[in-house]
Amino acid sequence: LTTLSATVTVPGVFNCTWDLGDGTPAAGFVVLHTYTNVGQYTAVVTATDGIVTYVQTTTISVDIPIGSPLLSEGFEGSWLPDGWTTDILTPSLHWQPTTEPAHGGLYSAFHDDIFPGMQDAWLVTRRVTPTAQSQLVFWQFERYAPYYYRHSLWVSTGSPDPKDGDFVELAQVTAGTESTWGKVSVSLGAFAERPCYLAFRYQGHNADEWYIDDVQVTATLVASHNGPKQPGETVTFVAYAPTGSNVDYVWNLGGGVIRSGATVTYAYGVAGTYTAVVTASNSVNSVSKVLTIPIWNQCYLPLVIRQ
């Protein structure tokens, strides 16, 4: 949500109108507007008292934040969320939306307890590609926790349909505290750079009620180097922001050495341990990562063989 404001500093009663740069008109000295696409927009504001007219412009840069989640779902839209699926492996109830309770917003997703038989129901996310530092993070809520049977998280790099047999278990989720929201975090590092589907699996016969909300797959700035190296050898540094638009990378390699770009190189002349800081930034935010680079003097000793 962008706030645009205008002020007229001369006496008079002025009316203020806007062309917000994306085809949207508005009126008033303070305007709130949401730009839906990445880009640069020029807003034109006109203030007039019927005799004198003033016109000014302002530029708004709109970018995807660096480090925004690869997946973020609070179940506030239509059911099912876009790209998500629900399936059952035995006669079971399906996952469904509910307004009671919810962790954030008005809705959560839940699986009911009462059913004449052992239930095996899956809620599968849209496809996502984690990074080495990505985590699956969500909030869970339990009703009738003493009757918990089994909740688990699964991942598939193949089919999103559990009946096809491509899912493998990622983790078992233990019963939460009765009638209390609790945060769950599971590493996805083993599936870095591999497109996959994630699934919430409910099993139980007249067991508990399981609610989940505010599901995210996190993304952080990824940075690395190919050290250790010897003095005078070139070190290559690489940075990558999994999410974000129009990203600029600036490296502080120590000793006042500054480089720009997603990939940079530098040769340290003296042995030691150095610290490099890369900052990824755009018009919305900036994120930094710290790397430690060992530079070693290597000594090669002669091999002596005695008989």
Side-chain angles (χ1 to χ4, degrees), residues 72-279:
S72 183
E73 185 54 62
F75 307 108
E76 298 302 305
S78 59
W79 183 263
L80 287 158
D82 187 32
W84 290 54
T85 58
T86 180
D87 211 333
I88 54 177
L89 295 190
T90 64
S92 304
L93 297 173
H94 280 280
W95 284 82
Q96 56 189 298
T98 182
T99 59
E100 178 59 37
H103 177 259
L106 299 176
Y107 290 88
S108 64
F110 95 110
H111 198 282
D112 212 342
D113 54 344
I114 300 176
F115 190 82
M118 177 60 71
Q119 300 193 75
D120 191 350
W122 297 62
L123 179 64
V124 182
T125 71
R126 64 171 174 81
R127 192 168 69 167
V128 63
T129 304
T131 68
Q133 287 81 35
S134 288
Q135 290 187 319
L136 171 62
V137 180
F138 65 96
W139 290 80
Q140 72 166 359
F141 184 96
E142 289 284 330
R143 280 202 174 121
Y144 313 114
Y147 297 96
Y148 164 92
Y149 180 78
R150 199 169 198 275
H151 304 160
S152 52
L153 305 173
W154 293 68
V155 59
S156 168
T157 56
S159 169
D161 188 340
K163 291 188 290 293
D164 291 335
D166 292 335
F167 275 94
V168 295
E169 187 169 0
L170 183 64
Q172 181 174 350
V173 182
T174 58
T177 302
E178 176 72 22
S179 299
T180 303
W181 284 103
K183 188 176 182 180
V184 180
S185 300
V186 178
S187 173
L188 298 175
F191 297 89
E193 310 305 328
R194 300 170 66 187
C196 59
Y197 300 91
L198 305 170
F200 299 84
R201 185 182 186 184
Y202 175 97
Q203 295 170 281
H205 174 213
N206 290 334
D208 61 334
E209 294 178 3
W210 190 25
Y211 300 76
I212 63 171
D213 203 358
D214 295 331
V215 179
Q216 290 190 345
V217 174
T218 63
T220 61
L221 177 63
V222 179
S224 62
H225 63 81
N226 65 344
K229 295 288 186 179
Q230 296 186 69
E233 288 187 332
T234 298
V235 182
T236 299
F237 300 87
V238 178
Y240 165 58
T243 55
S245 59
N246 300 314
V247 181
D248 293 320
Y249 301 89
V250 176
W251 296 81
N252 184 339
L253 302 177
V257 178
I258 306 295
R259 296 287 188 270
S260 298
T263 301
V264 301
T265 59
Y266 184 66
Y268 294 92
V270 179
T273 300
Y274 296 86
T275 299
V277 180
V278 58
T279 300

Side-chain angles (χ1 to χ4, degrees), residues 11-48:
V13 179
F14 286 84
N15 294 318
C16 191
T17 59
W18 297 78
D19 175 351
L20 298 178
D22 63 351
T24 304
F29 284 91
V30 178
V31 173
L32 302 179
H33 183 61
T34 298
Y35 293 90
T36 58
N37 296 309
V38 169
Q40 280 202 332
Y41 300 87
T42 300
V44 181
V45 57
T46 302
T48 182

